[in-house]
């Protein structure tokens, strides 16, 4: 019986889209979701269905998961990949934008967990994969809302890992570094500084930060997907993994004095370009 997989946030050009292809290549039946399925291009593999799920809406999440379970009889793997970014100085962020980031990146994981854990617990089997970020563990300037949302994802992953033990459900936290995707480009397209900002002199640095994950050391999306899918489908998936550009550096940062690390990051993202 093939495993049934749901991946959220599968817009063309992103990590989720390629994860779907890789799960299908490994023999899984895959459901690729997005708020609007028109944003998902056609897949090469025939064993992937598109489904509209708005991860910021309780009913949409519940209905989407119920549809999959009714169609397949079970749901084995869920990848919480949907995410958005709002770049710039923290005090310049409109609160509505901050709430949207947390609703999509963080609260959505709880919505999905509430809907899918009872399904998995009934069969005493399942894997939940939460896509976090290395900046959820070591924050950087000019992207504070995203950093905070992904720091919360790490905490949620760890608590879910503990609380899902009685039901034989594995929870995997993935902290990607620099991975090739359209994520930064989407963030740049929607970025502006307010007229009254205190940080106008730092505009080049903010743009540098927005595009940092798409530098020469970025990991190909296909390589990222192969590693994540391979480890997710193991009999005993890991609790945590971090891969991609800068991931080793940020792993080192976690062991160094935090003030020193934060100052080095500030120096790097405040220097004249």
């Amino acid at each position: 019986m093939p495993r049934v997989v749901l991946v959220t946030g599968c817009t063309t050009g992103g990590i989720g889209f390629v994860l779907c292809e890789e799960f299908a290549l490994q023999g899984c039946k895959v459901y690729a979701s997005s708020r609007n399925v028109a944003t998902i291009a056609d897949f090469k593999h025939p064993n992937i269905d598109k489904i509209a799920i708005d991860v910021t809406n309780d009913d949409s999440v519940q209905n989407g998961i119920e549809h999959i379970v009714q169609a397949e009889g079970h749901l084995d793997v869920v990848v919480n990949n949907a995410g958005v970014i709002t770049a710039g100085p923290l005090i310049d962020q409109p609160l509505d934008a901050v709430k949207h980031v947390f609703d999509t990146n963080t609260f959505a994981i709880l919505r999905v967990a509430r809907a899918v854990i009872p399904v998995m617990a009934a069969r005493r089997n399942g894997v939940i994969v939460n896509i976090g970020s290395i900046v959820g563990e070591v924050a950087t300037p000019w992207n504070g809302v995203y950093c905070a949302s992904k720091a919360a994802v790490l905490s949620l992953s760890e608590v879910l890992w503990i609380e899902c033990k009685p039901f034989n459900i594995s929870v995997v936290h993935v902290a990607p570094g620099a991975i090739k995707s359209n994520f930064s480009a989407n963030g740049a397209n929607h970025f502006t500084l307010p007229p009254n900002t205190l940080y106008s002199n730092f505009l080049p640095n903010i743009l540098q930060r927005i595009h940092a994950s798409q530098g020469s050391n970025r990991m190909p999306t296909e390589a990222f997907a192969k590693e994540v899918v391979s480890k997710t489908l193991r009999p005993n998936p890991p609790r945590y993994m971090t891969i991609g550009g800068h991931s080793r550096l940020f792993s080192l940062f976690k062991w160094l004095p935090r003030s020193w690390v934060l100052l080095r990051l500030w120096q790097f993202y405040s220097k004249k370009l």
Side-chain angles (χ1 to χ4, degrees), residues 176-188:
I179 309 294
K180 182 181 178 180
S181 75
N182 57 9
F183 193 64
S184 294
N186 291 339

Side-chain angles (χ1 to χ4, degrees), residues 223-270:
F224 170 80
K226 284 182 181 296
E227 186 160 350
V228 171
V229 170
S230 173
K231 291 182 177 179
T232 297
L233 296 179
R234 289 178 180 176
N236 295 297
R239 179 189 63 81
Y240 174 92
M241 69 176 90
T242 181
I243 52 176
H246 304 302
S247 59
R248 291 184 179 180
L249 176 62
F250 273 66
S251 292
L252 174 63
F253 281 169
K254 290 189 290 184
W255 293 94
L256 295 174
R258 184 54 63 103
S259 294
W260 183 90
V261 170
L262 295 177
L263 284 173
R264 298 291 83 75
L265 287 168
W266 169 246
Q267 289 169 355
F268 183 77
Y269 283 115
S270 64

Side-chain angles (χ1 to χ4, degrees), residues 68-247:
I68 295 170
V69 174
Q70 288 173 4
E72 306 295 337
H74 56 104
L75 180 53
D76 303 291
V77 179
V78 171
V79 181
N80 287 304
N81 172 71
V84 294
I85 185 174
T86 177
L90 270 177
I91 63 170
D92 287 342
Q93 301 303 311
L95 284 182
D96 284 346
V98 174
K99 292 175 182 177
H100 179 60
V101 169
F102 272 86
D103 208 9
T104 305
N105 297 2
T106 310
F107 304 153
I109 289 175
L110 289 177
R111 289 189 184 93
V112 173
R114 286 173 176 156
V116 79
I117 286 176
V119 174
M120 293 178 172
R123 301 179 68 242
R124 301 190 66 82
N125 180 64
V127 183
I128 297 171
V129 181
N130 295 329
I131 304 297
S133 174
I134 56 173
V135 299
E137 299 169 37
V138 180
T140 65
W142 317 130
N143 202 17
V145 176
Y146 181 79
C147 295
S149 72
K150 291 300 186 179
V153 170
L154 175 59
S155 292
L156 291 177
S157 294
E158 291 181 340
V159 173
L160 285 172
W161 183 82
I162 299 168
E163 294 181 350
C164 285
K165 282 295 181 184
F167 313 113
N168 196 39
I169 299 171
S170 299
V171 178
V172 181
H173 183 85
V174 181
I179 309 294
K180 182 181 178 180
S181 75
N182 57 9
F183 193 64
S184 294
N186 291 339
N189 290 339
H190 297 92
F191 174 72
T192 58
L193 279 173
N196 62 341
T197 183
L198 299 175
Y199 296 96
S200 56
N201 291 338
F202 295 96
L203 178 58
N205 303 109
I206 297 169
L207 294 174
Q208 174 196 16
R209 175 64 193 89
I210 290 174
H211 294 290
S213 66
Q214 298 306 299
S216 59
N217 71 334
R218 62 185 179 176
M219 185 178 195
T221 318
E222 292 76 11
F224 170 80
K226 284 182 181 296
E227 186 160 350
V228 171
V229 170
S230 173
K231 291 182 177 179
T232 297
L233 296 179
R234 289 178 180 176
N236 295 297
R239 179 189 63 81
Y240 174 92
M241 69 176 90
T242 181
I243 52 176
H246 304 302
S247 59

